[in-house]
Amino acid sequence: MTNKLIGVSGSWITDSDGMFPGYHRSYVNDDYIDSVVQAGGVPVIIPVTTDLAVIRAQVAHLDGLILSGGQDVNPLEYGEQPRQKCGPTFPDRDWFELQLIKEAEQRHLPILGICRGAQLLNVYHGGTIIQDLSYADHELIRHSQPDQPTLPTHSVRVSADSPFASIFDQNEFTVNSFHHQVIGELGADLQVGITAPDGVVEGFSNFAYDGFEVAVQFHPEMLHRTHPQAQQLFKAFMENA
């Protein structure tokens, strides 16, 4: 058993009934936890906080960081106003995870961004987000999957000159898809490595980072039990931790 400690950024879930309706609880989906365990790591949930000293102490104990999925990133973070189809945001979480990225990069930790995590990583590096699929300048395939989480619904292609080519054993495979927003302008030092048939960015890496920093728009944590490509991604992440 490895002793590599992998932090998974958390969020809040709000009780809708029971004894304490409206009560906030810190959480992440269990798939993230199991993905780290199956890849040989020791997962810890990093709860949202706005205390910078606490954030620095959290990251100081980590060997790797996974940025999890969740709410839309606040458009103000990338210099835009919210459009009509922008979904719910969580500004405190945005700030919290932006600080996590900063601290993790300073320590040269491996970073894996997933869905929202990928979008936030792009924003951190100066990129933008298209706030809804309908705002794209051409028709896109369905990226908001109505089916079960473990059912891939569209294909992606891996660029031969990207780090993903050495992670995956195939240059084309299928993924699940649960997002209504997509990467707009790519941030500084970031390189597209995986694309959907409609051109949507499904994965990118930071070529200037002294370490492992990759992000994917799909949800490998939901696929890791049955799909080799998801397992290969977490394996590569752990090998760099």
PDB file of all heavy atoms in Angstrom, residues 132-161:
ATOM      1  N   ASP A 132     -22.362  28.341 -22.102  1.00  0.00           N
ATOM      2  CA  ASP A 132     -23.343  27.305 -22.409  1.00  0.00           C
ATOM      3  C   ASP A 132     -23.054  26.794 -23.815  1.00  0.00           C
ATOM      4  O   ASP A 132     -22.572  27.548 -24.675  1.00  0.00           O
ATOM      5  CB  ASP A 132     -24.781  27.835 -22.327  1.00  0.00           C
ATOM      6  CG  ASP A 132     -25.813  26.723 -22.462  1.00  0.00           C
ATOM      7  OD1 ASP A 132     -26.016  25.987 -21.477  1.00  0.00           O
ATOM      8  OD2 ASP A 132     -26.398  26.585 -23.555  1.00  0.00           O
ATOM      9  N   LEU A 133     -23.353  25.522 -24.059  1.00  0.00           N
ATOM     10  CA  LEU A 133     -23.121  24.928 -25.375  1.00  0.00           C
ATOM     11  C   LEU A 133     -23.798  25.723 -26.486  1.00  0.00           C
ATOM     12  O   LEU A 133     -23.285  25.817 -27.601  1.00  0.00           O
ATOM     13  CB  LEU A 133     -23.630  23.479 -25.386  1.00  0.00           C
ATOM     14  CG  LEU A 133     -22.905  22.491 -24.468  1.00  0.00           C
ATOM     15  CD1 LEU A 133     -23.710  21.208 -24.342  1.00  0.00           C
ATOM     16  CD2 LEU A 133     -21.521  22.199 -24.984  1.00  0.00           C
ATOM     17  N   SER A 134     -24.942  26.319 -26.170  1.00  0.00           N
ATOM     18  CA  SER A 134     -25.701  27.050 -27.185  1.00  0.00           C
ATOM     19  C   SER A 134     -25.005  28.337 -27.620  1.00  0.00           C
ATOM     20  O   SER A 134     -25.366  28.924 -28.636  1.00  0.00           O
ATOM     21  CB  SER A 134     -27.098  27.375 -26.661  1.00  0.00           C
ATOM     22  OG  SER A 134     -27.034  28.243 -25.536  1.00  0.00           O
ATOM     23  N   TYR A 135     -24.014  28.800 -26.863  1.00  0.00           N
ATOM     24  CA  TYR A 135     -23.311  30.025 -27.208  1.00  0.00           C
ATOM     25  C   TYR A 135     -22.095  29.788 -28.108  1.00  0.00           C
ATOM     26  O   TYR A 135     -21.410  30.742 -28.485  1.00  0.00           O
ATOM     27  CB  TYR A 135     -22.837  30.740 -25.934  1.00  0.00           C
ATOM     28  CG  TYR A 135     -23.961  31.161 -25.002  1.00  0.00           C
ATOM     29  CD1 TYR A 135     -23.802  31.101 -23.623  1.00  0.00           C
ATOM     30  CD2 TYR A 135     -25.169  31.627 -25.494  1.00  0.00           C
ATOM     31  CE1 TYR A 135     -24.816  31.496 -22.761  1.00  0.00           C
ATOM     32  CE2 TYR A 135     -26.188  32.020 -24.646  1.00  0.00           C
ATOM     33  CZ  TYR A 135     -26.014  31.946 -23.277  1.00  0.00           C
ATOM     34  OH  TYR A 135     -27.021  32.337 -22.442  1.00  0.00           O
ATOM     35  N   ALA A 136     -21.814  28.534 -28.441  1.00  0.00           N
ATOM     36  CA  ALA A 136     -20.693  28.238 -29.334  1.00  0.00           C
ATOM     37  C   ALA A 136     -20.990  28.768 -30.735  1.00  0.00           C
ATOM     38  O   ALA A 136     -22.153  28.976 -31.114  1.00  0.00           O
ATOM     39  CB  ALA A 136     -20.437  26.740 -29.382  1.00  0.00           C
ATOM     40  N   ASP A 137     -19.943  28.975 -31.526  1.00  0.00           N
ATOM     41  CA  ASP A 137     -20.126  29.563 -32.857  1.00  0.00           C
ATOM     42  C   ASP A 137     -20.459  28.536 -33.931  1.00  0.00           C
ATOM     43  O   ASP A 137     -20.557  28.862 -35.111  1.00  0.00           O
ATOM     44  CB  ASP A 137     -18.894  30.367 -33.264  1.00  0.00           C
ATOM     45  CG  ASP A 137     -17.629  29.519 -33.309  1.00  0.00           C
ATOM     46  OD1 ASP A 137     -17.727  28.284 -33.138  1.00  0.00           O
ATOM     47  OD2 ASP A 137     -16.540  30.085 -33.501  1.00  0.00           O
ATOM     48  N   HIS A 138     -20.620  27.263 -33.542  1.00  0.00           N
ATOM     49  CA  HIS A 138     -21.074  26.233 -34.476  1.00  0.00           C
ATOM     50  C   HIS A 138     -21.818  25.164 -33.681  1.00  0.00           C
ATOM     51  O   HIS A 138     -21.722  25.107 -32.452  1.00  0.00           O
ATOM     52  CB  HIS A 138     -19.896  25.619 -35.242  1.00  0.00           C
ATOM     53  CG  HIS A 138     -18.925  24.874 -34.368  1.00  0.00           C
ATOM     54  ND1 HIS A 138     -18.011  25.507 -33.562  1.00  0.00           N
ATOM     55  CD2 HIS A 138     -18.740  23.542 -34.165  1.00  0.00           C
ATOM     56  CE1 HIS A 138     -17.281  24.619 -32.915  1.00  0.00           C
ATOM     57  NE2 HIS A 138     -17.712  23.417 -33.254  1.00  0.00           N
ATOM     58  N   GLU A 139     -22.565  24.337 -34.353  1.00  0.00           N
ATOM     59  CA  GLU A 139     -23.357  23.315 -33.673  1.00  0.00           C
ATOM     60  C   GLU A 139     -22.442  22.269 -33.048  1.00  0.00           C
ATOM     61  O   GLU A 139     -21.489  21.797 -33.669  1.00  0.00           O
ATOM     62  CB  GLU A 139     -24.318  22.642 -34.652  1.00  0.00           C
ATOM     63  CG  GLU A 139     -25.244  21.630 -33.971  1.00  0.00           C
ATOM     64  CD  GLU A 139     -26.273  21.036 -34.925  1.00  0.00           C
ATOM     65  OE1 GLU A 139     -26.335  21.488 -36.091  1.00  0.00           O
ATOM     66  OE2 GLU A 139     -26.998  20.116 -34.497  1.00  0.00           O
ATOM     67  N   LEU A 140     -22.753  21.903 -31.805  1.00  0.00           N
ATOM     68  CA  LEU A 140     -21.963  20.922 -31.080  1.00  0.00           C
ATOM     69  C   LEU A 140     -22.749  19.636 -30.875  1.00  0.00           C
ATOM     70  O   LEU A 140     -23.983  19.631 -30.913  1.00  0.00           O
ATOM     71  CB  LEU A 140     -21.556  21.478 -29.710  1.00  0.00           C
ATOM     72  CG  LEU A 140     -20.774  22.796 -29.708  1.00  0.00           C
ATOM     73  CD1 LEU A 140     -20.458  23.210 -28.278  1.00  0.00           C
ATOM     74  CD2 LEU A 140     -19.503  22.688 -30.526  1.00  0.00           C
ATOM     75  N   ILE A 141     -22.023  18.540 -30.656  1.00  0.00           N
ATOM     76  CA  ILE A 141     -22.676  17.286 -30.316  1.00  0.00           C
ATOM     77  C   ILE A 141     -23.204  17.374 -28.883  1.00  0.00           C
ATOM     78  O   ILE A 141     -22.917  18.331 -28.151  1.00  0.00           O
ATOM     79  CB  ILE A 141     -21.720  16.088 -30.469  1.00  0.00           C
ATOM     80  CG1 ILE A 141     -20.546  16.210 -29.477  1.00  0.00           C
ATOM     81  CG2 ILE A 141     -21.209  15.983 -31.895  1.00  0.00           C
ATOM     82  CD1 ILE A 141     -19.641  14.993 -29.469  1.00  0.00           C
ATOM     83  N   ARG A 142     -23.950  16.374 -28.463  1.00  0.00           N
ATOM     84  CA  ARG A 142     -24.500  16.387 -27.104  1.00  0.00           C
ATOM     85  C   ARG A 142     -23.369  16.133 -26.095  1.00  0.00           C
ATOM     86  O   ARG A 142     -22.694  15.107 -26.137  1.00  0.00           O
ATOM     87  CB  ARG A 142     -25.583  15.321 -26.945  1.00  0.00           C
ATOM     88  CG  ARG A 142     -26.057  15.152 -25.498  1.00  0.00           C
ATOM     89  CD  ARG A 142     -27.151  14.118 -25.366  1.00  0.00           C
ATOM     90  NE  ARG A 142     -28.441  14.683 -25.719  1.00  0.00           N
ATOM     91  CZ  ARG A 142     -29.560  13.964 -25.807  1.00  0.00           C
ATOM     92  NH1 ARG A 142     -29.535  12.667 -25.609  1.00  0.00           N
ATOM     93  NH2 ARG A 142     -30.709  14.557 -26.133  1.00  0.00           N
ATOM     94  N   HIS A 143     -23.193  17.082 -25.180  1.00  0.00           N
ATOM     95  CA  HIS A 143     -22.190  16.931 -24.125  1.00  0.00           C
ATOM     96  C   HIS A 143     -22.828  16.809 -22.745  1.00  0.00           C
ATOM     97  O   HIS A 143     -22.125  16.546 -21.774  1.00  0.00           O
ATOM     98  CB  HIS A 143     -21.226  18.121 -24.134  1.00  0.00           C
ATOM     99  CG  HIS A 143     -20.276  18.113 -25.293  1.00  0.00           C
ATOM    100  ND1 HIS A 143     -19.067  17.468 -25.259  1.00  0.00           N
ATOM    101  CD2 HIS A 143     -20.369  18.668 -26.530  1.00  0.00           C
ATOM    102  CE1 HIS A 143     -18.432  17.628 -26.416  1.00  0.00           C
ATOM    103  NE2 HIS A 143     -19.209  18.359 -27.206  1.00  0.00           N
ATOM    104  N   SER A 144     -24.127  17.031 -22.659  1.00  0.00           N
ATOM    105  CA  SER A 144     -24.830  16.865 -21.398  1.00  0.00           C
ATOM    106  C   SER A 144     -25.568  15.533 -21.456  1.00  0.00           C
ATOM    107  O   SER A 144     -26.699  15.430 -21.939  1.00  0.00           O
ATOM    108  CB  SER A 144     -25.819  18.019 -21.176  1.00  0.00           C
ATOM    109  OG  SER A 144     -26.439  17.920 -19.925  1.00  0.00           O
ATOM    110  N   GLN A 145     -24.906  14.504 -20.971  1.00  0.00           N
ATOM    111  CA  GLN A 145     -25.356  13.118 -21.141  1.00  0.00           C
ATOM    112  C   GLN A 145     -26.571  12.800 -20.278  1.00  0.00           C
ATOM    113  O   GLN A 145     -26.523  12.990 -19.058  1.00  0.00           O
ATOM    114  CB  GLN A 145     -24.187  12.205 -20.767  1.00  0.00           C
ATOM    115  CG  GLN A 145     -24.467  10.722 -20.824  1.00  0.00           C
ATOM    116  CD  GLN A 145     -23.194   9.930 -20.521  1.00  0.00           C
ATOM    117  OE1 GLN A 145     -22.102  10.367 -20.838  1.00  0.00           O
ATOM    118  NE2 GLN A 145     -23.352   8.770 -19.911  1.00  0.00           N
ATOM    119  N   PRO A 146     -27.654  12.280 -20.855  1.00  0.00           N
ATOM    120  CA  PRO A 146     -28.822  11.943 -20.056  1.00  0.00           C
ATOM    121  C   PRO A 146     -28.776  10.516 -19.524  1.00  0.00           C
ATOM    122  O   PRO A 146     -29.679  10.089 -18.813  1.00  0.00           O
ATOM    123  CB  PRO A 146     -29.970  12.097 -21.062  1.00  0.00           C
ATOM    124  CG  PRO A 146     -29.353  11.692 -22.359  1.00  0.00           C
ATOM    125  CD  PRO A 146     -27.912  12.156 -22.304  1.00  0.00           C
ATOM    126  N   ASP A 147     -27.720   9.770 -19.866  1.00  0.00           N
ATOM    127  CA  ASP A 147     -27.651   8.355 -19.523  1.00  0.00           C
ATOM    128  C   ASP A 147     -26.866   8.124 -18.234  1.00  0.00           C
ATOM    129  O   ASP A 147     -26.404   9.057 -17.589  1.00  0.00           O
ATOM    130  CB  ASP A 147     -27.002   7.583 -20.681  1.00  0.00           C
ATOM    131  CG  ASP A 147     -27.742   7.793 -21.993  1.00  0.00           C
ATOM    132  OD1 ASP A 147     -28.855   7.263 -22.122  1.00  0.00           O
ATOM    133  OD2 ASP A 147     -27.211   8.506 -22.862  1.00  0.00           O
ATOM    134  N   GLN A 148     -26.717   6.865 -17.877  1.00  0.00           N
ATOM    135  CA  GLN A 148     -26.015   6.514 -16.647  1.00  0.00           C
ATOM    136  C   GLN A 148     -24.544   6.937 -16.703  1.00  0.00           C
ATOM    137  O   GLN A 148     -23.948   6.997 -17.785  1.00  0.00           O
ATOM    138  CB  GLN A 148     -26.127   5.008 -16.416  1.00  0.00           C
ATOM    139  CG  GLN A 148     -25.596   4.157 -17.560  1.00  0.00           C
ATOM    140  CD  GLN A 148     -25.807   2.686 -17.321  1.00  0.00           C
ATOM    141  OE1 GLN A 148     -25.557   2.209 -16.225  1.00  0.00           O
ATOM    142  NE2 GLN A 148     -26.276   1.948 -18.322  1.00  0.00           N
ATOM    143  N   PRO A 149     -23.929   7.218 -15.565  1.00  0.00           N
ATOM    144  CA  PRO A 149     -22.571   7.764 -15.523  1.00  0.00           C
ATOM    145  C   PRO A 149     -21.511   6.873 -16.163  1.00  0.00           C
ATOM    146  O   PRO A 149     -20.508   7.383 -16.662  1.00  0.00           O
ATOM    147  CB  PRO A 149     -22.307   7.933 -14.026  1.00  0.00           C
ATOM    148  CG  PRO A 149     -23.645   8.058 -13.404  1.00  0.00           C
ATOM    149  CD  PRO A 149     -24.542   7.185 -14.227  1.00  0.00           C
ATOM    150  N   THR A 150     -21.720   5.561 -16.142  1.00  0.00           N
ATOM    151  CA  THR A 150     -20.697   4.645 -16.639  1.00  0.00           C
ATOM    152  C   THR A 150     -20.856   4.311 -18.119  1.00  0.00           C
ATOM    153  O   THR A 150     -20.136   3.451 -18.631  1.00  0.00           O
ATOM    154  CB  THR A 150     -20.723   3.336 -15.835  1.00  0.00           C
ATOM    155  OG1 THR A 150     -22.035   2.759 -15.907  1.00  0.00           O
ATOM    156  CG2 THR A 150     -20.368   3.587 -14.376  1.00  0.00           C
ATOM    157  N   LEU A 151     -21.758   4.992 -18.795  1.00  0.00           N
ATOM    158  CA  LEU A 151     -21.984   4.718 -20.219  1.00  0.00           C
ATOM    159  C   LEU A 151     -21.349   5.817 -21.073  1.00  0.00           C
ATOM    160  O   LEU A 151     -21.845   6.935 -21.108  1.00  0.00           O
ATOM    161  CB  LEU A 151     -23.486   4.643 -20.515  1.00  0.00           C
ATOM    162  CG  LEU A 151     -23.861   4.416 -21.985  1.00  0.00           C
ATOM    163  CD1 LEU A 151     -23.384   3.043 -22.454  1.00  0.00           C
ATOM    164  CD2 LEU A 151     -25.370   4.544 -22.189  1.00  0.00           C
ATOM    165  N   PRO A 152     -20.243   5.527 -21.771  1.00  0.00           N
ATOM    166  CA  PRO A 152     -19.663   6.530 -22.668  1.00  0.00           C
ATOM    167  C   PRO A 152     -20.612   6.824 -23.822  1.00  0.00           C
ATOM    168  O   PRO A 152     -21.242   5.916 -24.361  1.00  0.00           O
ATOM    169  CB  PRO A 152     -18.377   5.852 -23.170  1.00  0.00           C
ATOM    170  CG  PRO A 152     -18.086   4.784 -22.177  1.00  0.00           C
ATOM    171  CD  PRO A 152     -19.424   4.303 -21.718  1.00  0.00           C
ATOM    172  N   THR A 153     -20.684   8.106 -24.209  1.00  0.00           N
ATOM    173  CA  THR A 153     -21.659   8.480 -25.230  1.00  0.00           C
ATOM    174  C   THR A 153     -21.077   9.192 -26.442  1.00  0.00           C
ATOM    175  O   THR A 153     -21.782   9.371 -27.429  1.00  0.00           O
ATOM    176  CB  THR A 153     -22.757   9.379 -24.622  1.00  0.00           C
ATOM    177  OG1 THR A 153     -22.146  10.528 -24.018  1.00  0.00           O
ATOM    178  CG2 THR A 153     -23.563   8.627 -23.580  1.00  0.00           C
ATOM    179  N   HIS A 154     -19.835   9.637 -26.375  1.00  0.00           N
ATOM    180  CA  HIS A 154     -19.241  10.209 -27.587  1.00  0.00           C
ATOM    181  C   HIS A 154     -17.744   9.924 -27.616  1.00  0.00           C
ATOM    182  O   HIS A 154     -17.118   9.632 -26.587  1.00  0.00           O
ATOM    183  CB  HIS A 154     -19.535  11.711 -27.717  1.00  0.00           C
ATOM    184  CG  HIS A 154     -18.781  12.602 -26.779  1.00  0.00           C
ATOM    185  ND1 HIS A 154     -17.437  12.916 -26.935  1.00  0.00           N
ATOM    186  CD2 HIS A 154     -19.177  13.292 -25.674  1.00  0.00           C
ATOM    187  CE1 HIS A 154     -17.056  13.742 -25.991  1.00  0.00           C
ATOM    188  NE2 HIS A 154     -18.087  13.983 -25.196  1.00  0.00           N
ATOM    189  N   SER A 155     -17.172  10.011 -28.788  1.00  0.00           N
ATOM    190  CA  SER A 155     -15.760   9.678 -28.958  1.00  0.00           C
ATOM    191  C   SER A 155     -14.875  10.895 -28.745  1.00  0.00           C
ATOM    192  O   SER A 155     -15.324  12.042 -28.836  1.00  0.00           O
ATOM    193  CB  SER A 155     -15.519   9.101 -30.354  1.00  0.00           C
ATOM    194  OG  SER A 155     -15.845  10.059 -31.348  1.00  0.00           O
ATOM    195  N   VAL A 156     -13.603  10.629 -28.455  1.00  0.00           N
ATOM    196  CA  VAL A 156     -12.579  11.667 -28.372  1.00  0.00           C
ATOM    197  C   VAL A 156     -11.330  11.152 -29.077  1.00  0.00           C
ATOM    198  O   VAL A 156     -11.129   9.948 -29.221  1.00  0.00           O
ATOM    199  CB  VAL A 156     -12.231  12.031 -26.908  1.00  0.00           C
ATOM    200  CG1 VAL A 156     -13.426  12.651 -26.205  1.00  0.00           C
ATOM    201  CG2 VAL A 156     -11.716  10.827 -26.135  1.00  0.00           C
ATOM    202  N   ARG A 157     -10.500  12.099 -29.503  1.00  0.00           N
ATOM    203  CA  ARG A 157      -9.244  11.742 -30.164  1.00  0.00           C
ATOM    204  C   ARG A 157      -8.078  12.385 -29.423  1.00  0.00           C
ATOM    205  O   ARG A 157      -8.150  13.540 -29.025  1.00  0.00           O
ATOM    206  CB  ARG A 157      -9.253  12.178 -31.634  1.00  0.00           C
ATOM    207  CG  ARG A 157      -7.943  11.894 -32.377  1.00  0.00           C
ATOM    208  CD  ARG A 157      -8.101  12.084 -33.867  1.00  0.00           C
ATOM    209  NE  ARG A 157      -8.892  11.009 -34.447  1.00  0.00           N
ATOM    210  CZ  ARG A 157      -8.389   9.834 -34.812  1.00  0.00           C
ATOM    211  NH1 ARG A 157      -7.099   9.576 -34.637  1.00  0.00           N
ATOM    212  NH2 ARG A 157      -9.155   8.920 -35.330  1.00  0.00           N
ATOM    213  N   VAL A 158      -7.009  11.609 -29.277  1.00  0.00           N
ATOM    214  CA  VAL A 158      -5.815  12.044 -28.569  1.00  0.00           C
ATOM    215  C   VAL A 158      -4.766  12.521 -29.568  1.00  0.00           C
ATOM    216  O   VAL A 158      -4.481  11.829 -30.558  1.00  0.00           O
ATOM    217  CB  VAL A 158      -5.240  10.898 -27.715  1.00  0.00           C
ATOM    218  CG1 VAL A 158      -3.952  11.331 -27.018  1.00  0.00           C
ATOM    219  CG2 VAL A 158      -6.269  10.415 -26.697  1.00  0.00           C
ATOM    220  N   SER A 159      -4.184  13.693 -29.319  1.00  0.00           N
ATOM    221  CA  SER A 159      -3.127  14.216 -30.183  1.00  0.00           C
ATOM    222  C   SER A 159      -1.838  13.440 -29.951  1.00  0.00           C
ATOM    223  O   SER A 159      -1.425  13.226 -28.805  1.00  0.00           O
ATOM    224  CB  SER A 159      -2.884  15.703 -29.897  1.00  0.00           C
ATOM    225  OG  SER A 159      -4.048  16.464 -30.155  1.00  0.00           O
ATOM    226  N   ALA A 160      -1.191  13.064 -31.028  1.00  0.00           N
ATOM    227  CA  ALA A 160       0.019  12.246 -30.937  1.00  0.00           C
ATOM    228  C   ALA A 160       1.174  12.992 -30.291  1.00  0.00           C
ATOM    229  O   ALA A 160       2.087  12.368 -29.729  1.00  0.00           O
ATOM    230  CB  ALA A 160       0.417  11.761 -32.321  1.00  0.00           C
ATOM    231  N   ASP A 161       1.161  14.333 -30.343  1.00  0.00           N
ATOM    232  CA  ASP A 161       2.272  15.116 -29.796  1.00  0.00           C
ATOM    233  C   ASP A 161       1.974  15.658 -28.405  1.00  0.00           C
ATOM    234  O   ASP A 161       2.665  16.567 -27.930  1.00  0.00           O
ATOM    235  CB  ASP A 161       2.618  16.267 -30.735  1.00  0.00           C
ATOM    236  CG  ASP A 161       1.455  17.238 -30.939  1.00  0.00           C
ATOM    237  OD1 ASP A 161       0.323  16.906 -30.522  1.00  0.00           O
ATOM    238  OD2 ASP A 161       1.682  18.329 -31.504  1.00  0.00           O
TER     239      ASP A 161
END
